[in-house]
Amino acid sequence: MKKPIYLVPCDFSVIFKSALRLGIDLAEYNKGSVMILHLAAKKSDKAESEQKMKKVMAELKASELEFVEWRVLVGDIYEDIAQAAEILDASLIVMSTHGAKGIQKLRGSNALRLVDSSSVPFMITQGSKYVDKMKQIVMPFCDQKESLQVAQSAAVIAKQFNSTIHLVGYLDKNEQSRSKALSHHKILFKFFSDQGITVKTHNIESKEDYEKALFAYAKEVDADLYAATFFNTTIVSGINSFLQSLLENDDDIPVLTVNAEELGVSSVTSVMM
């Protein structure tokens, strides 16, 4: 079995260090490796960035240096992160975000811009999450088949950490939508159960505020991770406004996400059914 490679984009900020810590924790837990990547805007910036990277490495423990590598390349993170992840055969891109502010609320956060560029799954954190446990994974889904797409990535994490998957469905009052959501629940439940993953179910009726109810349920089960697909038609109205709200959750719970469009939705049902 291939050892996981965790790609951590670096901008030398405080929140980058949070992502690096999460990537290192994941690599230690799963006997994987970490690749820190900084993309300098121009060639003349490369030498200075390399010096900064050496300082980052100097702050790591000797035991961590054995499985952490780094690269400084010239490029644009929004254009080149996908290619870098593909070349490395990265299992996961781990990054931090402060969430969207101001005009980004309309366009989506910088984190979502990166997700939009790659088929590799992302784990995004806004806090200092440590992998002392990642036992409770909350996965929202709805009547849209794209909402199933993150299941494969969630299953990988669940098997690594012996986690419980909590399927949180949105049941619309429209009968057709409701029927699709319930059908998707059956697909997901079977998919996870067949792999020996413990699954629990919690459905939220359309008369409730879905986001509020989802966050309340996550707090109730002491969630360690959200798993939600990035796609343009989301559970609540607005382009990925739902995923953005997950990234900004008040409990600093990391979000596992993957771009449904880059993966191709057809791959979901072919694997699960």
Side-chain angles (χ1 to χ4, degrees), residues 29 35 44 75 87 126 176 187 189 210 218 237-238 266:
Y29 195 95
M35 173 59 73
S44 58
I87 291 171
Q126 57 173 321
Q176 185 176 8
I187 293 171
F189 193 94
Y210 185 82
S237 60
S266 60

Side-chain angles (χ1 to χ4, degrees), residues 30 55 86 95 109 111 136 171 204 206 210 230 241 247 273:
N30 296 303
K55 289 181 180 179
E86 185 177 340
M95 64 177 295
S109 72
Q136 309 298 328
L171 299 184
I204 298 171
S206 59
Y210 185 82
F230 177 93
S241 59
L247 294 179
M273 298 182 72

Side-chain angles (χ1 to χ4, degrees), residues 111-208:
L112 292 187
R113 285 180 62 195
L114 288 177
V115 175
D116 197 30
S117 70
S118 176
S119 61
V120 176
F122 279 72
M123 187 177 290
I124 304 172
T125 178
Q126 57 173 321
S128 54
K129 172 68 178 176
Y130 288 80
V131 185
D132 54 346
K133 63 168 187 168
M134 199 163 281
K135 297 296 187 182
Q136 309 298 328
I137 301 174
V138 171
M139 179 180 166
F141 70 95
C142 61
D143 61 334
Q144 299 293 317
K145 58 186 177 182
E146 290 92 343
S147 68
L148 282 65
Q149 193 75 316
V150 76
Q152 295 178 58
S153 300
V156 171
I157 299 294
K159 285 189 284 188
Q160 288 173 341
F161 292 93
N162 192 28
S163 313
T164 295
I165 297 278
H166 296 261
L167 299 175
V168 183
Y170 173 73
L171 299 184
D172 197 283
K173 59 184 177 182
N174 177 282
E175 276 303 317
Q176 185 176 8
S177 295
R178 190 184 188 91
S179 177
K180 284 183 180 179
L182 291 172
S183 175
H184 290 166
H185 168 262
K186 290 179 181 179
I187 293 171
L188 289 168
F189 193 94
K190 184 177 187 302
F191 173 71
F192 290 123
S193 297
D194 285 351
Q195 298 183 69
I197 298 169
T198 302
V199 189
K200 294 185 178 180
T201 302
H202 181 75
N203 287 317
I204 298 171
E205 297 286 344
S206 59
K207 63 184 178 181
E208 299 181 67

